[in-house]
Structures are given as C-alpha cells and as structure tokens.
C-alpha cells in the first residue's frame, strides 16, 4: 500500500480493506509534538501492519499518535482505534453507539431494518441478503470512551482545522477543512471517481423521523461549492484538486438517475425492491443494502418534490405511483 505526503505537516497512508470499495486512506497531521490520525482503516492484522509500516516511513510509530479523529462510523474508517487505547478518540455524537457497542441501539437498528425491508417489498426468503449488525461491525473498532465534538468545537492542538458536518453518506459524518490552504479531509463526503452511497439509517432516537440521506447528501455537495476548498483528501482514491464543476457533474448524475427511476414506475406502481432489482440486476443480491439505499433515496427525493406518492398495501408494503401531473417520457 502507498504512503504519501500532501503538505509539510499532512501525510497519507493507504490501507487494504476486504470491501468492494478497495483501499481506504488514513491521514496524519503533525503539529509540534502532537500527531493526529484521521480515520483508522479496518480491524485486520494486514491493515495494522500497513499502518505501522507507513508510520515508520515518516519516522513514527503508533505510540507517536496523540489523538484520533473519525470522519464517520463505517468499519473501514474505525477499525484500528482499539489498538491505540493510549490516545483520545474524537467523533460525531452519532458514532458513539457504534464505537461503544451499544446493544440496545443495535437491537433497535435490526428491528428497524426488518420492518423497512418489508415496507420496501423485499421477499421474505431474500431478507438474509441484507447484512446484519454483527456482519457490519466485525471489522469495526471499539472504544468504551469517545469524546464527542460538534462543528462549533476545535480539536485540541489542531484549532486551525474546522470541523464540518457533511451528512448523507453517514449520519455521523464530519470533514475537516483548513481554510489557510484549502485542504479538505473529506472522508467519504466527496470522492473523485464515484459518488458516495447515501446510506439508509434508522432514526437515532426512538420516535424521531428517519433521515433522508440522499437529500442530505445533495445539500452537502451543494454547500461544498461555497467553501474555500482547494484540495480534497478523500477516504478512497488519490487526493485531487477541487472544482465546482466536479460537484455539478455529480449533482447532474443524480438527477439523471432520478429521471430513469421515475420512468421505471409503471401505472401499477413499483416497490423499492422491484426497482432495485430492475435497475441493478447484476448486484441487487450481492449488494442489497447499497442498492436498496440508492433506490430508496431517489424515491424519497421524488416524493419530497411531489412527483410520486407512496401507498401502503394490505401486506404493509409501500408501492410508489407517479402523480398525475408528472409527465413521464417513454
């Protein structure tokens, strides 16, 4: 795996993951005697050895790390935190139940997706293709104590890096921006070659409405165009120069996908699962959680704009219908 220097005080290390997305980047920010690690790969011996080797190339060891900041709670970004208990861990408040292994939260998470799968029309004999929480967290890190931060806060010793909430890909997603030189540690908020999945999550607290992640993610992308970003340090892929044209292309791509999904809804209506199977025929089983999130996000966006409506059947499945005032091509 690759190690690279971005600025005089900013470094990157690429770590192997077992996921289809491929390697993940972690970043190191040096300030005097302090060394901040941003993200922590997956919890495997391979990733640990790669991190240790990468640190050695810059003249450090894991013991030199004085703090860890997580962009979000996904397992490819949190895995090695438990191997570095000597330093404080900073994260979004909504990352805490994942990192502390909150059993009550996990039970509610599982119950929500069992209900949601039925609503989306997933056949009972295929629900097992949706990953369970234990499958999800086996590569994650765990820490009993997490220090939460908000966008109003500054990390100790790294006050020149602003914390930005960049929701959509995860409800716990933060990015770091140093306005002095425009470096933006983006996590998975902005990737160059692909657009991040806007992943479904349950309400954080019981009784709250469920988040609408694709709508959130579009807002994150739109807001990024007004920020003084010069270079993006992404969670996956090489660092790249930021342009508003890149964001515009991503937004237009989402709009084209939305139009295609709208055109797929027949007069008999369609469920989320039916559309996922039709739109992603080759991967709807192997990546069911991702494709259901993708389709559901676009349906929520269409519904918010008044273009479709959801109707619950006697079986508690939601079928979506195009509103009469909407003209569908084809």
């Amino acid at each position: 795996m690759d190690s690279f220097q971005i600025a005089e005080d900013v470094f990157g290390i690429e770590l192997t993951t077992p996921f289809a997305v491929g390697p993940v980047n972690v970043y190191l920010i040096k300030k005097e005697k302090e060394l901040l690690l941003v993200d922590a790969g997956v919890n495997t011996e391979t990733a640990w050895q790669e991190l240790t080797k990468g640190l050695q190339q810059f003249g450090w060891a894991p013991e030199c790390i004085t703090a860890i900041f997580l962009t979000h709670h996904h397992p490819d970004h949190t895995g090695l935190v438990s191997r570095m208990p000597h330093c404080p861990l900073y994260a979004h408040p909504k990352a805490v139940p994942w990192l502390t292994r909150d059993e009550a939260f996990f039970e509610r998470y599982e119950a929500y997706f069992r209900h949601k799968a039925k609503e989306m029309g997933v056949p009972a004999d295929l629900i097992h293709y949706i990953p369970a929480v234990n499958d999800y967290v086996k590569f994650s890190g765990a820490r009993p104590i997490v220090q939460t931060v908000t966008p109003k806060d500054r990390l100790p010793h790294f006050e020149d890096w602003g914390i930005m909430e960049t929701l959509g890909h995860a409800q716990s997603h933060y990015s770091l921006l140093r306005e002095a030189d425009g470096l933006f540690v983006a996590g998975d908020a902005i990737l160059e070659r692909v657009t991040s999945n806007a992943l479904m999550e349950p309400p954080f607290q019981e009784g709250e409405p469920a988040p609408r992640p694709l709508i959130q993610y579009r807002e994150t992308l739109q807001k990024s165009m007004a920020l003084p970003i010069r270079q993006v340090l992404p969670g996956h892929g090489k660092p790249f120069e930021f342009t508003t044209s890149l964001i515009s292309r991503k937004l237009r791509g989402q709009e084209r996908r939305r139009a295609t999904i709208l055109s797929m809804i027949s007069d008999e209506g369609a469920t989320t699962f039916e559309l996922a199977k039709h739109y992603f025929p080759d991967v709807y089983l192997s990546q069911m959680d991702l494709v259901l999130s993708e389709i559901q996000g676009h349906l929520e966006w269409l519904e918010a704009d008044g273009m479709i409506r959801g109707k619950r059947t006697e079986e508690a499945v939601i079928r979506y219908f195009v509103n009469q005032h909407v003209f569908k091509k084809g």
Side-chain angles (χ1 to χ4, degrees):
M1 291 288 98
D2 193 21
S3 300
F4 46 93
Q5 185 168 358
I6 299 123
E8 183 179 0
D9 57 345
V10 182
F11 309 81
I13 302 173
E14 191 180 57
L15 304 179
T16 300
T17 81
F19 305 126
V21 71
V24 66
N25 296 325
V26 303
Y27 294 97
L28 296 147
I29 303 172
K30 185 75 172 79
K31 188 169 185 181
E32 298 174 350
K33 296 182 179 180
E34 306 296 325
L35 184 62
L36 176 68
L37 175 67
V38 183
D39 286 340
V42 293
N43 189 17
T44 65
E45 190 60 32
T46 296
W48 177 245
Q49 294 301 324
E50 290 173 345
L51 177 64
T52 301
K53 183 178 179 181
L55 287 165
Q56 288 173 347
Q57 290 179 1
F58 298 124
W60 300 314
E63 294 75 21
C64 298
I65 295 169
T66 56
I68 302 172
F69 176 84
L70 299 180
T71 61
H72 59 297
H73 71 268
H74 291 168
D76 53 332
H77 296 260
T78 69
L80 298 174
V81 297
S82 52
R83 302 200 187 205
M84 293 173 281
H86 64 281
C87 53
L89 173 64
Y90 299 95
H92 193 291
K94 291 184 178 178
V96 172
W98 295 98
L99 293 160
T100 60
R101 297 292 197 270
D102 185 327
E103 290 298 329
F105 177 84
F106 286 175
E107 288 173 8
R108 191 161 55 80
Y109 184 96
E110 294 275 20
Y112 174 82
F113 276 104
R114 285 195 299 270
H115 173 75
K116 192 68 177 176
K118 187 173 183 179
E119 275 193 344
M120 293 187 291
V122 180
D125 61 340
L126 298 182
I127 287 178
H128 68 277
Y129 282 98
I130 299 174
V133 168
N134 287 339
D135 297 327
Y136 187 83
V137 300
K138 65 183 179 181
F139 292 109
S140 299
R143 287 279 293 270
I145 299 174
V146 183
Q147 299 187 36
T148 61
V149 287
T150 75
K152 295 180 181 179
D153 298 323
R154 288 292 185 269
L155 298 175
H157 309 290
F158 297 92
E159 291 83 1
D160 51 340
W161 292 87
I163 300 171
M164 309 201 61
E165 193 172 49
T166 45
L167 302 181
H169 178 64
Q171 295 305 302
S172 62
H173 207 294
Y174 279 152
S175 301
L176 294 175
L177 173 64
R178 185 163 67 181
E179 293 194 14
D181 57 4
L183 291 183
F184 187 63
V185 185
D188 289 351
I190 302 178
L191 304 177
E192 184 176 25
R193 302 298 180 188
V194 297
T195 298
S196 294
N197 295 101
L199 299 176
M200 286 186 292
E201 293 187 36
F204 188 68
Q205 299 288 349
E206 197 164 359
E208 292 179 348
R212 297 188 294 181
L214 182 59
I215 294 173
Q216 290 176 327
Y217 186 48
R218 286 181 59 79
E219 292 172 352
T220 288
L221 291 176
Q222 289 161 347
K223 289 176 183 176
S224 74
M225 292 195 284
L227 297 174
I229 301 171
R230 181 184 62 82
Q231 187 176 22
V232 177
L233 281 54
H236 306 277
K238 302 296 183 184
F240 59 92
E241 296 302 308
F242 178 81
T243 64
T244 56
S245 61
L246 171 68
I247 305 303
S248 296
R249 287 197 300 274
K250 290 180 180 295
L251 293 169
R252 288 195 300 270
Q254 292 170 341
E255 291 156 8
R256 287 192 296 271
R257 177 166 286 186
R258 183 173 95 147
T260 300
I261 291 169
L262 178 64
S263 73
M264 291 165 54
I265 302 175
S266 69
D267 292 341
E268 290 74 36
T271 68
T272 303
F273 176 76
E274 289 168 350
L275 293 168
K277 184 177 180 180
H278 188 185
Y279 199 101
F280 298 103
D282 297 328
V283 297
Y284 77 95
L285 288 179
S286 62
Q287 300 182 34
M288 188 176 288
D289 55 334
L290 302 182
V291 302
L292 288 174
S293 287
E294 186 71 16
I295 297 298
Q296 186 65 30
H298 284 81
L299 292 173
E300 290 169 354
W301 179 18
L302 285 163
E303 192 169 31
D305 283 353
M307 302 182 77
I308 63 172
R309 68 190 186 282
K311 182 177 180 182
R312 193 177 297 272
T313 70
E314 292 182 1
E315 295 78 22
V317 175
I318 297 178
R319 296 191 71 82
Y320 292 91
F321 296 85
V322 179
N323 286 330
Q324 291 182 357
H325 69 277
V326 177
F327 174 74
K328 291 200 304 173
K329 295 182 179 180

